[in-house]
Amino acid sequence: VALQLTLVNQKPPALQGDRGYSRKGPEPGNASYYYSLTRIAAEGTVTVRGQTFAVTGLAWMDHEFSTSALGPEQVGWDWFSIQLDDQTELMVFQLRRADGSVDAFSSGTLIAVDSATRTLGPADFTITPAGEWRSPRSGGIYPAAWTVAVPSAELTLEVTPLLADQEMDISYRYWEGAVRVEGVRGDLAVSGYGYVELTGYAQSMQGEF
């Protein structure tokens, strides 16, 4: 498999959190510096088993760096980056606690057509899982779909994986993969694509970050 793409950024960097400082907990160091390039035009080729295909599409780049991230009661996160066909984007994440609750340091950002950003706190959005998929390798049980809602933006999205098995097995096991999005913004239908990252389902992330 080979990939060759030319990438051209369509929007300026979106600074996540407080001007690029994304807190993940109350303790010093439970934070990251984080920015996103949310709409990048991509054009090039993909080669599979010697056959080359011309491709075009959209890419998203996250750059996040930190010394540590998770607090002592946090076991993982559900992270969504979504590109909608109305030229807006959404990033939201919820940090999951050991008792099953959602941590107060969950956060998100809405990126408008004109690239203006709006920071979302944990009370501004909901992520509701539906169904489950069990990994045949790790035994980890992951959500199989989600409803993501931002009531103040009249935005409700149904998110489904393009492929159920997108589990990653590197230094730790987690799920990260492409998703399809269908929904509404007010009275208007919207659709798009994105990716979802799920950690802490096959193993706790404590000690990893």
Side-chain angles (χ1 to χ4, degrees):
V1 177
L3 178 69
Q4 183 172 347
L5 297 175
T6 297
L7 304 174
V8 179
N9 195 31
Q10 303 295 296
K11 288 187 174 183
L15 301 179
Q16 308 288 10
D18 179 8
R19 294 165 295 174
Y21 183 70
S22 177
R23 295 185 66 188
K24 305 302 194 296
E27 297 86 2
N30 290 153
S32 66
Y33 289 106
Y34 179 19
Y35 70 89
S36 303
L37 302 179
T38 62
R39 189 164 292 263
I40 306 171
E43 182 175 4
T45 59
V46 173
T47 302
V48 181
R49 298 187 179 94
Q51 187 174 2
T52 298
F53 304 89
V55 295
T56 60
L58 290 174
W60 175 304
M61 190 199 83
D62 272 349
H63 187 191
E64 186 170 19
F65 46 102
S66 62
T67 53
S68 66
L70 293 181
E73 299 301 320
Q74 298 167 342
V75 296
W77 58 77
D78 305 335
W79 208 291
F80 294 72
S81 294
I82 293 170
Q83 297 166 322
L84 295 173
D85 58 6
D86 64 359
Q87 307 302 304
T88 65
E89 297 85 43
L90 172 67
M91 184 285 294
V92 290
F93 66 86
Q94 62 180 15
L95 299 165
R96 302 190 320 280
R97 297 174 63 86
D99 62 4
S101 64
V102 174
D103 194 89
F105 282 88
S106 303
S107 182
T109 306
L110 269 172
I111 299 95
V113 175
D114 64 0
S115 303
T117 60
R118 175 184 159 199
T119 300
L120 303 174
D124 297 323
F125 65 92
T126 58
I127 299 171
T128 307
E132 63 182 40
W133 176 77
R134 182 187 293 271
S135 167
R137 293 170 301 279
S138 68
I141 299 175
Y142 301 89
W146 307 264
T147 300
V148 177
V150 185
S152 61
E154 299 183 286
L155 184 64
T156 302
L157 303 173
E158 303 299 328
V159 181
T160 55
L162 294 179
L163 180 68
D165 188 352
Q166 299 187 79
E167 188 181 48
M168 306 287 286
D169 182 12
I170 47 175
S171 58
Y172 52 90
R173 286 186 183 270
Y174 71 107
W175 193 101
E176 182 173 21
V179 295
R180 178 180 289 108
V181 180
E182 301 284 345
V184 293
R185 185 193 298 274
D187 296 328
L188 300 177
V190 291
S191 62
Y193 292 91
Y195 72 86
V196 173
E197 184 179 85
L198 308 171
T199 69
Y201 288 92
Q203 65 188 82
S204 172
M205 295 302 290
Q206 281 299 327
E208 303 291 347
F209 287 89

